[in-house]
Amino acid sequence: MELFTNPDILRLEAFFAAAEHACIVVHTHPDGDALGSGTALLEYFRRCRGVQAILLLPDSAPSPLAFLLPGSGVADAAQDPDGAAACLAACDLLVCLDMNGFGRASDLEGPLRACRARKVLIDHHLHPDREAFDLVFSRTQVSSASELLYRVLRALPDAASGQLPLQVLTPLMAGMTTDTNNFANSVFPSTLQMASELLAAGVDRDALLDRLYHRYRENRFRAMGAFLERMQITPEGVAYAILDREFLQRFDLQDGESEGFVNLPLGIGSVRLSVFLKEDDGHFRVSLRSKAGVSASRLAAEAFHGGGHECAAGGKLYFPEDIAAPAGAADYIQSVTARFMRNPGPSRTE
Ligand code: 5GP
Ligand code: MN
């Protein structure tokens, strides 16, 4: 299957061939797809192209996913903002993965805008900011940025001839596995075809699943029980749960340890939309998941300053700007979703 017009691939090949210092950037609060695609491209640059590369994370990787990262070549911009800005100022090629624009890179947004390197976007979200890049590979009909990156790398003249190494393929398998919720959502014919090719190439999926899903701390599952206990369901079929500071402290819930909670309420027949809030400094982080016909991405944009995919989106709810205090979050969710569920489809421009 050929996803790309030849001229774009040839331009990318020329960019890669000319690059000496590449910077790879993924979205803030990186998930398995961001870390998997970022690591895969880092390893590709080093092992297949002899290009010096650095993977710049806007903030740190959640500890359950840190195993995906290689031992070197990764920088955390939140820890060292000056170093990150210097990297972006010095590189001659920038590749952004799993994000549709610089606004998804939190405090790195300014240094990204100032970056003078050639800029490439490889992403699977709606509404890519095409103006900000020299070359854009954007498809929404793929499972993940990892899948799209694989297609791009395979289409390049040099990679088509040889096998991509396992250090590239294994993180790609991790990214497609986590973004599809272990092949439950966003699975296309191309997704299973790629998975089959990776298995045939020797990716150890059993070992990967063990690292991804069998190594959590017990507290995650205690918290999951309490999350389901406190979940509310509105008459419109909206399930919501708010994990406030007290809850997060009680279970010592760290970043990444509530991954996937938001999907659970969709198992209930009457639920069409799941809204999950986690308290942070001055805001809640919001995760939305929906069934077909309900546009999580539209709700994220309209009510939570965010965006994402049609049925998996996210954003933020600020206090005191959106709600006077954290205690007002339940009322806010009830009122915006009651209105939204009267007409929950995608906006007409999409
Ligand atoms: P999650 O709920 O797993 O954090 O995110 C689900 C999807 O929504 C991801 O594709 C992610 O990129 C997107 N998303 C999450 N938070 C935000 C946000 O604050 N802004 C935008 N534009 N997208 C978000
Ligand atoms: Mn993704």
Side-chain angles (χ1 to χ4, degrees):
M1 179 193 49
E2 193 44 81
L3 270 176
F4 308 104
T5 53
N6 222 13
D8 281 353
I9 288 294
L10 294 179
R11 276 187 80 202
L12 187 68
E13 174 60 33
F15 284 9
F16 280 9
E20 287 177 14
H21 297 277
C23 255
I24 303 160
V25 174
V26 299
H27 65 76
T28 182
H29 287 111
D31 59 7
D33 190 28
L35 297 171
S37 59
T39 298
L41 186 58
L42 179 70
E43 295 286 14
Y44 173 77
F45 277 139
R46 288 162 150 184
R47 291 170 189 274
C48 305
R49 307 296 298 227
V51 173
Q52 280 194 27
I54 188 142
L55 170 57
L56 262 185
L57 304 177
D59 42 25
S60 59
S63 51
L65 293 175
F67 78 94
L68 285 170
L69 294 170
S72 65
V74 183
D76 177 344
Q79 299 283 323
D80 180 13
D82 294 340
C87 256
L88 285 169
C91 71
D92 53 16
L93 176 66
L94 168 69
V95 185
C96 290
L97 297 168
D98 202 26
M99 54 196 268
N100 58 3
F102 296 149
R104 291 286 290 128
S106 62
D107 292 346
L108 265 189
E109 180 175 354
L112 282 168
R113 291 202 187 284
C115 175
R116 301 266 67 89
R118 285 167 164 166
K119 301 187 189 75
V120 178
L121 176 67
I122 302 175
D123 180 50
H124 70 130
H125 291 90
L126 299 162
H127 316 307
D129 181 4
R130 293 183 183 276
E131 299 299 300
F133 295 89
D134 299 296
L135 190 50
V136 172
F137 295 92
S138 166
R139 295 285 186 288
T140 54
Q141 300 296 98
V142 291
S143 63
S144 52
S146 295
E147 179 180 332
L148 189 54
L149 175 61
Y150 176 72
R151 297 287 162 210
V152 170
L153 295 183
R154 289 298 302 268
L156 288 171
D158 88 304
S161 52
Q163 276 281 2
L164 292 167
L166 285 175
Q167 291 90 345
V168 173
L169 298 180
T170 301
L172 292 178
M173 176 66 99
M176 77 190 305
T177 299
T178 53
D179 248 28
T180 57
N181 192 13
N182 204 1
F183 296 90
N185 320 114
S186 309
V187 171
F188 297 86
S190 58
T191 311
L192 295 179
Q193 188 187 349
M194 169 175 163
S196 163
E197 289 168 13
L198 298 196
L199 289 178
V203 169
D204 186 347
R205 193 170 135 80
D206 290 340
L208 187 60
L209 292 183
D210 182 51
R211 296 300 301 256
L212 285 172
Y213 298 122
H214 297 162
R215 304 231 185 161
Y216 285 111
R217 298 188 300 158
E218 178 182 338
N219 65 332
R220 164 177 160 86
F221 295 89
R222 304 289 174 201
M224 192 185 285
F227 151 76
L228 290 171
E229 200 72 62
R230 72 165 49 186
M231 171 188 70
Q232 301 288 318
I233 302 178
T234 72
E236 296 82 19
V238 179
Y240 69 89
I242 299 160
L243 307 194
D244 53 21
R245 235 182 239 299
E246 184 277 324
F247 184 103
L248 299 174
Q249 278 164 6
R250 176 151 45 101
F251 291 97
D252 183 31
L253 214 52
Q254 307 293 324
D255 242 14
E257 290 186 328
S258 55
E259 185 65 33
F261 285 16
V262 64
N263 296 310
L264 299 173
L266 292 183
I268 302 166
S270 61
V271 169
R272 301 174 69 202
L273 171 69
S274 170
V275 180
F276 176 76
L277 266 65
K278 225 167 77 168
E279 191 174 340
D280 208 329
D281 293 333
H283 65 274
F284 287 96
R285 280 173 56 195
V286 180
S287 281
L288 304 173
R289 298 292 185 273
S290 59
K291 290 181 181 165
V294 177
S295 175
S297 89
R298 200 187 113 218
L299 180 63
E302 289 181 1
F304 299 111
H305 314 279
H309 309 287
E310 210 38 47
C311 293
K316 287 180 178 161
L317 181 63
Y318 295 95
F319 42 85
E321 293 84 354
D322 299 321
I323 50 174
D331 283 349
Y332 182 87
I333 294 169
Q334 284 171 20
S335 73
V336 296
T337 60
R339 204 173 336 118
F340 180 79
M341 291 305 282
R342 280 186 229 134
N343 174 20
S347 57
R348 257 172 276 149
T349 55
E350 284 166 14

